[in-house]
Amino acid sequence: MRARRLVSLLLLLQLGRRVTAAELADRLHTSVRTIHRDVAALVDAGVPVQSDRGPGGGFTLPSAYRTRLPLTVDEAQALLLGTPGAAASLGLGALLLDAQAKLLGSLPPDMRQAARRAQELFHVDDQRWFTSPDEPELLPPLAGAAAERQVVRVEYERRGKTEVELLKPLGLVLKAGVWYVLSGGGDRPRVHRVSRIRSLAVTGERFHRPPGFDLAEAWQRSREEFETSRPQLPVTLLADPDDLPALRAALDGSVRPTVRVGEPCPDGRVEVSLTFERLEYAHADLLKLGGAVEVTQPPQLRSRLAATGRELARRYA
């Protein structure tokens, strides 16, 4: 645990600004006293940490100081992607392995052992069940255009129609196994699914990244706007408490509705409130449960399920 904290502390100090003990303690989720002990340990190991007391003080490293980690630019990019799936989609899978090997080799023996232990215990698989990997052919050239700040002309499929658009790719996001590109050109970034891009051509025109643009923050805002803008259909049903696990398992895993369980009714069933995006989605999910649940609201969903039940009974009579 301490070995990982020392590595994190060193990397924070290498960002090039003065950091107080309180800030470091907050970032590393530890106490100020522990930070002072860790800094002393780094100094004992030969790291030239400079300490200034008083107002405006804190810890710094000489601007020229860097840990000796001979990574290439491509290896560093692969390492910063974070997951093997993302690196592989961009053709950087082998470089990620090389970068990880160099990172391990640069660590002191105790830190190396802790890192290997974490490697043995944790694995990130960012692909959803029963889906093929989303690795669009045009992902690497699109990533290259984003890196070079080049405007691209794309043919984009939207609602069955192909439209020509000019994109200023600001960055790429891998969300639940699906790649998206955020592009500039307006008050807020636009979001396009990369797999729907049918062709891509670099125009030769360059663009400037908006001052202070942060990809993670921009994606968070776009995601929140998308989730809150979706239509909502409230559904109420009655279910036996023993059937609640089956109810949750039947819900579509891609857009899982919110489930709220109320107090038990006189007959022992509980009232469950759900929110779906559309009537069709609610019908498809709840139909899987047959008669295990009873929809009470809205009437149109109750009627549709009843009609489907009658059709099934007629067909299999």
Side-chain angles (χ1 to χ4, degrees), residues 5-17:
R5 192 175 66 245
L6 287 172
V7 172
S8 300
L9 174 58
L10 179 56
L11 293 176
L12 287 171
L13 291 174
Q14 282 190 178
L15 293 177
R17 68 179 186 88

Side-chain angles (χ1 to χ4, degrees), residues 2-186:
R2 191 191 187 202
R4 291 197 295 273
R5 192 175 66 245
L6 287 172
V7 172
S8 300
L9 174 58
L10 179 56
L11 293 176
L12 287 171
L13 291 174
Q14 282 190 178
L15 293 177
R17 68 179 186 88
R18 191 181 306 278
V19 192
T20 66
E23 288 179 281
L24 292 170
D26 182 62
R27 290 288 298 274
L28 299 178
H29 307 291
T30 188
S31 66
V32 171
R33 179 176 296 181
T34 298
I35 291 298
H36 283 288
R37 285 200 298 263
D38 288 348
V39 169
L42 290 178
V43 172
D44 291 341
V47 179
V49 182
Q50 299 172 349
S51 175
D52 297 317
R53 299 182 180 277
F59 300 108
T60 57
L61 279 172
S63 58
Y65 178 82
R66 287 292 181 273
T67 53
R68 295 181 180 179
L69 188 60
L71 292 178
T72 66
V73 173
D74 290 339
E75 288 170 344
Q77 290 176 339
L79 192 62
L80 290 171
L81 283 172
T83 65
S89 297
L90 293 167
L92 300 173
L95 291 171
L96 176 61
L97 295 177
D98 291 342
Q100 289 175 339
K102 289 183 178 180
L103 176 61
L104 284 173
S106 69
L107 298 176
D110 58 335
M111 295 185 186
R112 191 181 311 142
Q113 183 179 3
R116 286 194 182 279
R117 190 158 50 244
Q119 219 174 20
E120 293 170 355
L121 292 174
F122 303 104
H123 173 70
V124 178
D125 182 358
D126 50 22
Q127 186 63 36
R128 287 175 49 201
W129 288 107
F130 309 113
T131 58
S132 57
D134 183 72
E135 298 181 2
E137 293 183 2
L138 297 176
L139 179 62
L142 182 59
E148 298 296 328
R149 307 285 191 267
Q150 293 181 324
V151 179
V152 294
R153 180 181 290 105
V154 302
E155 289 183 327
Y156 189 74
E157 184 177 323
R158 182 182 283 109
R159 300 185 183 91
K161 297 182 179 180
T162 302
E163 304 172 353
V164 177
E165 298 186 38
L166 290 177
L167 302 183
K168 299 177 180 178
L170 299 170
L172 294 154
V173 174
L174 180 62
K175 168 67 173 176
V178 179
W179 283 97
Y180 297 89
V181 58
L182 271 69
S183 61

Side-chain angles (χ1 to χ4, degrees), residues 263-297:
E263 296 296 324
C265 300
D267 62 0
R269 294 185 296 178
V270 292
E271 186 176 80
V272 181
S273 301
L274 303 92
T275 304
F276 288 87
E277 186 175 346
R278 297 182 181 179
L279 185 70
E280 297 79 23
Y281 299 164
H283 175 263
D285 280 355
L286 297 178
L287 187 62
K288 305 171 189 175
L289 297 167
V293 300
E294 179 187 352
V295 172
T296 57
Q297 292 291 336

Side-chain angles (χ1 to χ4, degrees), residues 224-243:
E224 290 174 353
E225 290 173 4
F226 171 71
E227 290 177 346
T228 55
S229 66
R230 286 166 42 209
Q232 293 187 347
L233 175 74
V235 173
T236 305
L237 55 84
L238 296 173
D240 189 282
D242 293 338
D243 291 325

Side-chain angles (χ1 to χ4, degrees), residues 193-216:
R193 183 166 174 166
V194 179
S195 60
R196 293 180 184 166
I197 297 178
R198 300 295 174 236
S199 69
L200 181 148
V202 177
T203 64
E205 178 187 355
R206 294 184 178 273
F207 65 90
H208 294 287
R209 196 178 181 89
F213 175 79
D214 183 277
L215 180 61

